[in-house]
Amino acid sequence: MPTLFDLIADAALSLFSRGMRTLLTTAGVLLGLGSLVAISGVTGSMSENVVRQFDRYAATQVLLSAPGAAAAQVRAADLDRLRAVDGVEGVAWVCHLGFREVSDAWGGEPVSLEVVGVSPGAVGVLEPRIAAGTDAGGVSMLDDRLVALVGTSVARRLALGSPQHGASLRVDGRNVSVSGIVDDVPRLPIMLNQVVLPLAAMQQHWGDDCAVADIVVRTRPNWAASVGEIARQVVAPQSVGQWTVSVPPSPDALRRGVVADLSVLYGVMAGISLAVGVLSIGNTMSVSVLERRGEIGLRRAVGYSAGGVFALFSLEASAIGFIGGLLGSSLGCLTVIAVALVHGWPVVVSTTGVLLVPFLGGVIGFLGGLVPAVGASQVSPATALRA
């Protein structure tokens, strides 16, 4: 009866002698488990980035909204009181004028777009990301000039040129210069589909009636909930019931939700990787048993029992799975690091998962080689030698 050392030596020699087939089978396990590690790490990095972005913007924001009648009762002093509340870093007043006919400066076909006016300093609160032009849009919000910020979707729709080359448009027949085109407004994404004017300019040309008003409050981290509780009473004590307050959910709850959603994807990929590995190794080991019937008979003749043959083939299959898992884990980690660095995401790799993947590969190998190993152990020595 062979010892464990004999089994390991024989398995290693057999795998080495069948190098190309072993390599191809290992590659199959490598790709399956490597993709499992890569998808797990990439989705983890992506979810962590989502939560960080949430923490930076939504978790530091309170949004108050009311119809025009209630908004008309709010005065500058009310907004100043809100700015003075503990935890508040900035307040932006957004007046929704409604939909107006907007076209390019050359008199193209007009389209209906919503026009809004924002208070001085609003650009600093809303933090739009400038895609073209300059941050002069932040200065323009302080006066009554007809200048605008527009989203990239609006710019494409109107075929606007670059702000550096004097891009302009017409709103209800009035010429409006475009100071900047923005591709992201994280605190109020709807602005990407609006024409944003300085509040003073909008009031001068269209009056100060707001169809709807929004107050965007930027807070310090972890202050949004407490500010949201008192914001209505501070800014509009006379019409509290007409204002709605939107406060972001807990970042921890968001994180749990993201992780739960991604866990479904991770589970599906794990199942596919398991099935691919088992079938790949099972197919290779079945062919190996057929090709090595003479070898099996010779081993049985020199002292291998049925259990010894089973152990040998199981060990070979497990070794293929383990090596594939080890290489796949390494390749998956490198993929996660590369993708995270390219996108600027935090690198999230589960150390425990990475260390367990090679052993998962070994289990996959054992399961894949189980049926062929049982078949090899039942081969009769005499029959095998005659083959």
Side-chain angles (χ1 to χ4, degrees):
M1 177 69 183
T3 66
L4 178 60
F5 178 80
D6 294 329
L7 288 173
I8 294 175
D10 287 347
L13 181 62
S14 176
L15 293 175
F16 181 78
S17 64
R18 296 180 294 108
M20 183 55 68
R21 182 173 294 162
T22 301
L23 179 63
L24 292 176
T25 308
T26 303
V29 179
L30 182 154
L31 292 176
L33 294 179
S35 63
L36 179 63
V37 173
I39 289 176
S40 172
V42 169
T43 53
S45 297
M46 183 171 60
S47 65
E48 183 63 24
N49 184 66
V50 168
V51 172
R52 288 189 182 185
Q53 292 295 323
F54 178 86
D55 290 344
R56 180 180 176 186
Y57 294 112
T60 59
Q61 175 176 308
V62 176
L63 177 65
L64 294 87
S65 300
Q73 302 178 42
V74 177
R75 300 291 179 263
D78 300 323
L79 298 178
D80 289 338
R81 284 199 305 274
L82 184 57
R83 292 186 181 96
V85 171
D86 285 343
V88 173
E89 292 187 338
V91 174
W93 176 268
V94 181
C95 175
H96 296 256
L97 180 63
F99 285 86
R100 303 286 168 163
E101 287 195 346
V102 182
S103 65
D104 63 75
W106 308 104
E109 186 68 24
V111 296
S112 181
L113 293 172
E114 189 177 15
V115 177
V116 301
V118 297
S119 60
V123 170
V125 174
L126 299 174
E127 302 180 61
R129 188 173 64 192
I130 304 295
T134 67
D135 62 355
V139 178
S140 69
M141 297 298 116
L142 298 175
D143 54 40
D144 58 0
R145 291 178 295 166
L146 273 177
V147 293
L149 293 176
V150 299
T152 50
S153 59
V154 172
R156 285 193 298 268
R157 193 172 177 185
L158 297 175
L160 294 178
S162 171
Q164 288 96 330
H165 297 100
S168 60
L169 47 80
R170 295 177 66 83
V171 180
D172 284 347
R174 298 177 175 85
N175 290 324
V176 178
S177 299
V178 177
S179 62
I181 298 175
V182 299
D183 60 5
D184 189 21
V185 187
R187 295 190 182 276
L188 212 58
I190 193 174
M191 280 190 169
L192 292 174
N193 298 311
Q194 298 171 332
V195 177
V196 184
L197 302 173
L199 184 61
M202 193 194 75
Q203 291 174 336
Q204 178 179 329
H205 293 275
W206 284 278
D208 58 357
D209 291 334
C210 302
V212 177
D214 292 327
I215 300 176
V216 182
V217 183
R218 190 180 69 195
T219 72
R220 294 200 296 271
N222 302 318
W223 280 82
S226 58
V227 171
E229 290 177 358
I230 63 173
R232 283 186 296 187
Q233 288 78 6
V234 172
V235 78
Q238 68 279 21
S239 56
V240 170
Q242 298 183 57
W243 288 84
T244 59
V245 179
S246 299
V247 178
S250 165
D252 291 336
L254 176 68
R255 188 188 304 273
R256 288 193 297 271
V258 172
V259 170
D261 291 340
L262 294 178
S263 294
V264 175
L265 173 63
Y266 184 73
V268 171
M269 288 304 303
I272 294 175
S273 298
L274 178 64
V276 169
V278 168
L279 292 175
S280 176
I281 294 176
N283 179 66
T284 298
M285 296 304 297
S286 295
V287 173
S288 177
V289 170
L290 292 176
E291 292 179 344
R292 297 162 62 189
R293 291 174 66 87
E295 177 192 332
I296 295 171
L298 182 59
R299 290 184 183 278
R300 292 296 305 273
V302 297
Y304 268 73
S305 64
V309 173
F310 173 84
L312 175 64
F313 279 84
S314 295
L315 188 59
E316 289 183 19
S318 299
I320 292 174
F322 182 86
I323 295 172
L326 184 63
L327 296 177
S329 179
S330 303
L331 180 62
C333 287
L334 292 176
T335 302
V336 172
I337 293 172
V339 171
L341 291 178
V342 168
H343 290 85
W345 298 343
V347 178
V348 178
V349 177
S350 171
T351 304
T352 302
V354 169
L355 294 177
L356 288 178
V357 164
F359 296 98
L360 175 61
V363 173
I364 290 175
F366 176 78
L367 294 176
L370 188 59
V371 173
V374 171
S377 68
Q378 294 176 348
V379 173
S380 167
T383 303
L385 287 173
R386 283 197 298 271

